[in-house]
Amino acid sequence: MKLTYSGKTKDVYRLEDGHVLLKFKDDVTGEDGVFDPGANTVGLTIDGAGKSGLRMTKYFFEKLEEQNVPTHYIDADLDEVTMTVKPATVFGKGLEVICRYRAVGSFLRRFGAYAEEGQVLDAFVEVTLKDDERQDPPISEDALAQLHILTHEEYATLKELTQQISEVVRSEMAEKGLELYDIKLEFGRDPERNIMLIDEISGGNMRVYQGDTYIAPMELEKILFS
Amino acid sequence: MKLTYSGKTKDVYRLEDGHVLLKFKDDVTGEDGVFDPGANTVGLTIDGAGKSGLRMTKYFFEKLEEQNVPTHYIDADLDEVTMTVKPATVFGKGLEVICRYRAVGSFLRRFGAYAEEGQVLDAFVEVTLKDDERQDPPISEDALAQLHILTHEEYATLKELTQQISEVVRSEMAEKGLELYDIKLEFGRDPERNIMLIDEISGGNMRVYQGDTYIAPMELEKILFS
């Protein structure tokens, strides 16, 4: 197998059968040693973070499979901390799709003149470009179409899938007495150009609270599987 | 008459008959003494800038009136450098609606990974919040609806009016051998809650080029009326 990409939190290998192997790392995003799911730099390394993220990802991707949501997931090996997935082509140079249930983070920084901190949002969806140099700018449906990144039809699919997937995560959390504030998803196209969920679903890609207390990724995994 | 608001480039007075009087000032937006239509600070004062802006505004608002585009315009007095308009309520705390024919300015700063400088855009429309503290953040149709600033129906109206009005300006410029790169419009509701164009249409709200040369607002007015 051949290393094709070394990302912030995962290494990507191409397998001989055409599948792709993702090796989850113990690096998590953040700044100055503090975890921040919205950051685009690696902030710190936590022993076991990779395995914890993979365990949640495996759990949610298998749940989504049961609901016939298209994903890149094939299987996962918790001991090796790897996940086998279908090859995917990302949209443009990569997009992040965010679903928000509470006004926090960058939503509040931009729209604080119109929203209280923590205000309830109605599964609000927005897209950002993966572009470290330009601080992952938000991009509108019309701009995505203008720049030939997504058609309007693809945008509608992406938004619908995002709300459907986020609701699966939100309701699982709610059963454990936890509240999902927001979650960041990634999508790509399979070789037949169908849109599917890619990357991971883990504590590192969402903000979850228990009452007023933020739950860090590895603690989240423990509560979820307790 | 009573001063109700002193803006960056205009003073606003309430008239006894219920109309509103706008007094155009010689202050223009920019930074460090350099004019920039995208800036939200007053950068410099230019003798005659107010009158020049009013002359263009009067010209375009009267042209739009002929085409039955709803605007706040009633009449203008070039000697007094004032314009009488209908009272308007802005959306939220004020929005700016931008129509882009070329990828420059903040569009390029955000989406430069996908667009060449000066690339042709298809009358691309986007909305920003008027919020100096938060650097006038762009806001999507869904976020405008989520925050109860505009309904989806109102957004569609705003976008359509923006493209219609911008095309009037673009084609006038083209007749003089000038090219409109982008233009910033403001809208509000009249007392019957109908959407109408407000504020001004002047060189200070648009980027216009003659070949590769940027044409500053007062020069633009001279060329347009030559």
Side-chain angles (χ1 to χ4, degrees):
Chain A
M1 66 187 196
K2 186 169 165 274
L3 181 70
T4 53
Y5 178 73
S6 184
K8 283 169 207 144
T9 61
K10 281 183 225 72
D11 286 331
V12 180
Y13 298 87
R14 171 71 61 165
L15 298 176
E16 282 172 13
D17 64 1
H19 290 154
V20 170
L21 190 82
L22 305 179
K23 172 86 181 171
F24 283 55
K25 300 199 273 195
D26 285 341
D27 296 335
V28 302
T29 56
E31 273 178 44
D32 304 326
V34 178
F35 169 72
D36 176 359
N40 56 27
T41 49
V42 168
L44 65 167
T45 299
I46 302 173
D47 279 348
K51 189 167 182 171
S52 169
L54 178 59
R55 194 169 167 214
M56 268 183 71
T57 298
K58 176 174 160 33
Y59 178 78
F60 282 114
F61 274 81
E62 288 176 359
K63 193 161 270 295
L64 292 169
E65 200 169 37
E66 287 166 21
Q67 302 196 13
N68 295 313
V69 174
T71 79
H72 69 160
Y73 182 77
I74 296 174
D75 57 39
D77 184 328
L78 286 175
D79 293 328
E80 295 292 328
V81 201
T82 57
M83 181 162 85
T84 308
V85 300
K86 295 175 204 164
T89 313
V90 297
F91 299 99
K93 294 163 189 178
L95 304 177
E96 286 181 340
V97 189
I98 301 145
C99 186
R100 301 181 181 277
Y101 296 97
R102 292 269 191 183
V104 292
S106 79
F107 185 94
L108 197 70
R109 284 195 293 277
R110 286 172 288 146
F111 309 138
Y114 293 88
E116 300 280 320
E117 183 170 0
Q119 176 180 318
V120 171
L121 302 175
D122 186 23
F124 170 74
V125 173
E126 63 184 345
V127 177
T128 60
L129 295 179
K130 290 184 81 161
D131 186 344
D132 290 352
E133 195 189 323
R134 297 178 182 86
Q135 290 82 46
D136 294 347
I139 182 164
S140 70
E141 177 181 348
D142 281 350
L144 287 162
Q146 177 72 72
L147 296 171
H148 308 295
I149 302 171
L150 283 180
T151 64
H152 288 286
E153 199 183 4
E154 286 172 330
Y155 185 89
T157 302
L158 218 62
K159 181 176 165 182
E160 196 187 326
L161 283 173
T162 296
Q163 290 180 324
Q164 187 185 354
I165 294 160
S166 302
E167 174 54 26
V168 168
V169 177
R170 195 201 60 72
S171 67
E172 282 286 314
M173 297 296 169
E175 280 179 29
K176 298 284 179 176
L178 300 169
E179 187 181 349
L180 179 65
Y181 274 30
D182 53 29
I183 180 167
K184 189 169 71 180
L185 303 174
E186 289 188 39
F187 292 87
R189 291 190 183 97
D190 70 16
E192 286 78 42
R193 292 186 63 83
N194 300 305
I195 294 179
M196 61 182 179
L197 181 68
I198 63 169
D199 199 45
E200 63 179 89
I201 297 184
S202 75
N205 297 75
M206 60 183 79
R207 283 191 188 89
V208 176
Y209 280 71
Q210 193 169 42
D212 290 337
T213 309
Y214 167 72
I215 306 296
M218 289 179 69
E219 198 189 339
L220 178 61
E221 181 233 332
K222 283 194 200 90
I223 297 173
L224 201 62
F225 298 116
S226 64
Chain B
M1 67 187 193
K2 186 169 164 277
L3 181 69
T4 54
Y5 178 74
S6 184
K8 284 170 206 144
T9 59
K10 282 183 223 73
D11 286 331
V12 180
Y13 298 87
R14 171 72 59 166
L15 298 176
E16 282 172 16
D17 64 2
H19 289 154
V20 171
L21 190 82
L22 304 179
K23 173 87 180 169
F24 283 55
K25 300 199 273 196
D26 285 341
D27 297 333
V28 302
T29 57
E31 273 177 44
D32 304 326
V34 178
F35 168 72
D36 176 359
N40 56 26
T41 49
V42 167
L44 64 168
T45 299
I46 303 172
D47 279 349
K51 188 168 184 170
S52 169
L54 178 60
R55 194 169 168 216
M56 267 183 73
T57 298
K58 175 174 160 40
Y59 178 78
F60 282 113
F61 273 83
E62 289 175 358
K63 190 159 274 289
L64 291 169
E65 198 168 41
E66 286 166 22
Q67 303 196 12
N68 295 313
V69 173
T71 80
H72 70 160
Y73 182 78
I74 296 174
D75 59 38
D77 184 328
L78 286 175
D79 294 326
E80 295 292 328
V81 201
T82 58
M83 179 161 85
T84 308
V85 299
K86 296 175 203 163
T89 313
V90 297
F91 300 99
K93 295 164 190 180
L95 303 178
E96 286 180 341
V97 189
I98 301 144
C99 187
R100 301 180 181 277
Y101 296 97
R102 291 270 191 183
V104 293
S106 78
F107 185 94
L108 197 70
R109 284 195 293 277
R110 287 173 288 146
F111 308 138
Y114 294 88
E116 301 280 320
E117 182 170 2
Q119 176 180 316
V120 170
L121 302 176
D122 185 23
F124 170 75
V125 172
E126 62 184 346
V127 177
T128 60
L129 295 179
K130 290 185 82 161
D131 185 344
D132 289 352
E133 195 189 323
R134 296 179 183 83
Q135 289 82 47
D136 295 346
I139 183 164
S140 70
E141 176 181 349
D142 281 349
L144 287 162
Q146 177 71 73
L147 297 170
H148 308 293
I149 301 170
L150 282 180
T151 65
H152 288 286
E153 198 183 5
E154 285 172 332
Y155 185 90
T157 302
L158 218 62
K159 182 176 165 180
E160 196 186 328
L161 283 173
T162 297
Q163 289 180 325
Q164 187 184 355
I165 293 160
S166 301
E167 174 55 26
V168 168
V169 177
R170 195 200 61 74
S171 67
E172 282 287 315
M173 296 296 168
E175 280 178 27
K176 297 286 179 176
L178 301 169
E179 186 181 348
L180 179 65
Y181 274 30
D182 53 29
I183 180 167
K184 189 169 68 180
L185 304 174
E186 289 189 40
F187 293 87
R189 291 190 182 97
D190 70 15
E192 287 78 42
R193 292 187 63 82
N194 300 306
I195 294 178
M196 61 182 179
L197 181 69
I198 64 170
D199 198 47
E200 63 181 270
I201 296 184
S202 76
N205 296 75
M206 60 183 80
R207 284 191 187 89
V208 174
Y209 279 71
Q210 193 169 42
D212 290 335
T213 309
Y214 167 73
I215 306 296
M218 289 179 69
E219 198 188 339
L220 178 61
E221 180 234 332
K222 283 193 198 88
I223 297 173
L224 201 63
F225 298 116
S226 65

